[in-house]
């Protein structure tokens, strides 16, 4: 069976034609008379498309985002928080005479931030002019907005990184507090029951254009609350607080992106599908505005022509973040996820762990000694085995995403290069070629 010259001739012809084979790989330097050969390639073509969804639901998350952040590639992002409030419980007897001490907006820090938190952050607090109302599905999206008074009630500047307390208190005008206290104390009909949301529709926290970071704050019964501090007349030691809590169902945050001067400047603001070649050979994930990437393998079936029978033994996907697109103020995501999508980009399944029970997530593998040597790692063997031989409507792709929390509660992001550079996205594929049955 002297078939080796014929086999080598076919093999080098296929190498020149098909993109899923690496001409530099070695596979069995010492030939033996076996019926199969193991081959490893790491240049299988991966097509990358980045997509942004129409909108992201940001209401009812129990957090607020406020501030501005400028990404080196993708523009400036600003987040403003809308805070409607519920009817307060006011218990002081109407026969008493009361005096206002102060009224504040008290906000407790959450753990998330992005941007340079060593620089001053300035917020403007505005009064809403219309009620915040969710849609028929009880959602409010990141692109929603409601009218508010252009003149702020108050402004507040602080340095996030120097904070010693677990929350900030923003003093609001006494006139605002006096009017609310008087209405509550006299049991005015305008602040009873549902009428309260018509009298006081809520607040909006708008970042100043000078901001260089975005912070997250909790929204619950003790944070993002308005606190009326008052006392009883002629009682110097009387200190009473009335806490007005946010409506945690309809509070939301609005996010805008200024793409001027970026690769995205000429694209529409939503429902975009753009290939990596149009983003200077990049893929993109971005929370808050809903970017994710789709990976497909258009030439995978070419390996079927290398023998009478071909089977995939292993497939490992590595994704290298692009250096310069992340910093200590914009850290890399801890993990990524892969879902399987059909020809209509509809999710049909998830890439699971080796037991097939849980969605597989790739954690960040860090190498602090070498810049650019951080990567995420997936085992996609089962997916590639099932995909081999599929054509047309039966072919699938992989959707690379963050978890839901990252998309709806942060501006977490990841930028990676396609296969035009060494440290980019890479598929290590090992397959077995049978020469005869």
């Amino acid at each position: 069976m002297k078939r080796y010259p014929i086999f080598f001739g076919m093999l080098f012809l296929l190498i020149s034609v098909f993109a899923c084979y690496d001409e530099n790989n070695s596979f069995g330097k010492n030939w033996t008379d076996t019926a199969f050969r193991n081959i490893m390639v790491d240049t299988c073509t991966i097509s990358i498309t980045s997509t942004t969804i129409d909108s992201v639901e940001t209401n009812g998350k129990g957090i607020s985002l406020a501030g501005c952040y400028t990404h080196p590639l993708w523009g400036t992002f600003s987040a403003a928080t809308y805070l409607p409030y519920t009817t307060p419980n006011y218990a002081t007897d109407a026969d008493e005479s009361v005096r206002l001490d102060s009224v504040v907006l008290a906000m407790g820090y959450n753990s998330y931030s992005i941007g340079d938190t060593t620089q001053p952050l300035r917020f403007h607090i505005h009064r809403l002019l219309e009620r915040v109302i969710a849609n028929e599905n009880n959602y409010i999206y990141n692109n929603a907005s409601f009218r508010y008074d252009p003149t702020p009630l108050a402004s507040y500047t602080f340095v996030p990184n120097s904070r010693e307390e677990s929350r900030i208190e923003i003093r609001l005008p006494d006139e605002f507090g006096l009017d609310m206290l008087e209405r509550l104390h006299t049991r005015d009909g305008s602040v009873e029951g549902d009428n309260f949301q018509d009298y006081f529709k809520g607040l909006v926290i708008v970042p100043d254009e000078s901001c260089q970071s975005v912070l997250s704050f909790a929204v619950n019964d003790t944070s993002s609350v308005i606190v009326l501090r008052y006392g009883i007349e002629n009682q110097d030691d009387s200190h009473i607080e009335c806490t007005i809590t946010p409506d945690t169902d309809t509070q939301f945050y609005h996010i805008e992106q200024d793409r001027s001067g970026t690769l995205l400047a000429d694209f529409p603001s939503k429902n975009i599908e753009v290939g990596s070649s149009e983003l200077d050979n990049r893929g993109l994930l971005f929370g808050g505005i809903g970017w994710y990437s789709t990976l497909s393998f258009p030439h995978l079936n070419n390996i079927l022509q290398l023998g009478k029978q071909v089977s995939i033994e292993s497939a490992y996907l590595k994704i290298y973040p692009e250096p310069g697109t992340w910093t200590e103020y914009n850290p890399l995501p801890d993990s990524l996820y892969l879902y399987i999508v059909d020809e209509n980009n509809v999710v049909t399944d998830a890439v699971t762990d080796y037991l097939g029970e849980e969605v597989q997530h790739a954690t960040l593998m860090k190498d602090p000694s070498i810049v650019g040597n951080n990567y995420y790692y997936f085992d996609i063997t089962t997916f590639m085995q099932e995909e081999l031989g599929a054509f047309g409507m039966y072919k699938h792709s992989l959707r690379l995403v963050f978890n839901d929390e990252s998309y709806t509660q942060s501006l977490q992001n990841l930028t990676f290069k396609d296969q035009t550079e060494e440290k980019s996205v890479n598929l290590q594929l090992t397959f077995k070629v049978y020469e005869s049955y």
Side-chain angles (χ1 to χ4, degrees), residues 50-217:
S50 296
T51 305
T52 182
I53 59 179
D54 178 64
S55 52
V56 176
E57 303 99 18
T58 63
N59 68 302
K61 304 300 179 183
I63 71 162
S64 64
L65 294 178
C68 301
Y69 168 70
T70 299
H71 190 277
L73 288 176
W74 309 120
T76 297
F77 300 80
S78 61
T81 285
Y82 287 71
L83 294 170
Y85 286 86
T86 61
T87 305
N89 293 318
Y90 184 86
T92 301
D93 195 307
D95 292 336
E96 301 282 2
S97 295
V98 296
R99 66 174 188 279
L100 177 73
D101 293 332
S102 66
V103 56
V104 300
L105 171 63
M107 304 176 66
Y109 292 110
N110 232 344
S111 59
Y112 175 76
S113 67
I114 186 173
D116 188 352
T117 54
T118 67
Q119 300 302 311
L121 192 60
R122 184 167 176 80
F123 291 158
H124 304 290
I125 314 302
H126 298 257
R127 186 164 180 166
L128 271 167
L129 297 179
E130 62 178 324
R131 292 185 66 168
V132 174
I133 300 175
N135 66 12
E136 62 274 11
N137 296 317
N138 294 320
Y139 291 139
I140 306 175
Y141 298 99
N142 59 345
N143 54 7
S145 61
F146 296 84
R147 289 186 302 111
Y148 57 84
D149 190 336
T151 302
L153 280 173
S155 296
Y156 184 76
T157 302
F158 64 109
V159 179
N161 208 35
S162 66
R163 62 184 185 260
E164 296 179 357
E165 303 295 331
S166 61
R167 70 178 191 172
I168 59 174
E169 289 194 355
I170 302 174
R171 182 76 179 257
L172 301 177
D174 287 349
E175 295 80 5
F176 168 77
L178 283 168
D179 183 71
M180 186 174 291
L181 178 61
E182 181 179 353
R183 290 171 185 263
L184 291 170
H185 189 66
T186 60
R187 276 58 175 180
D188 189 276
S190 64
V191 294
E192 295 290 322
D194 291 340
N195 291 336
F196 181 81
Q197 282 75 29
D198 291 320
Y199 157 68
F200 179 55
K201 300 173 179 64
L203 300 175
V204 186
I205 304 173
V206 179
D208 190 84
E209 293 181 355
S210 63
C211 293
Q212 299 181 44
S213 63
V214 174
L215 294 189
S216 173
F217 297 89

Side-chain angles (χ1 to χ4, degrees), residues 43 132 162 198 222 247 294 299 315 324 359:
T43 57
V132 174
S162 66
D198 291 320
T222 60
D247 185 333
T294 301
H299 304 305
V359 177

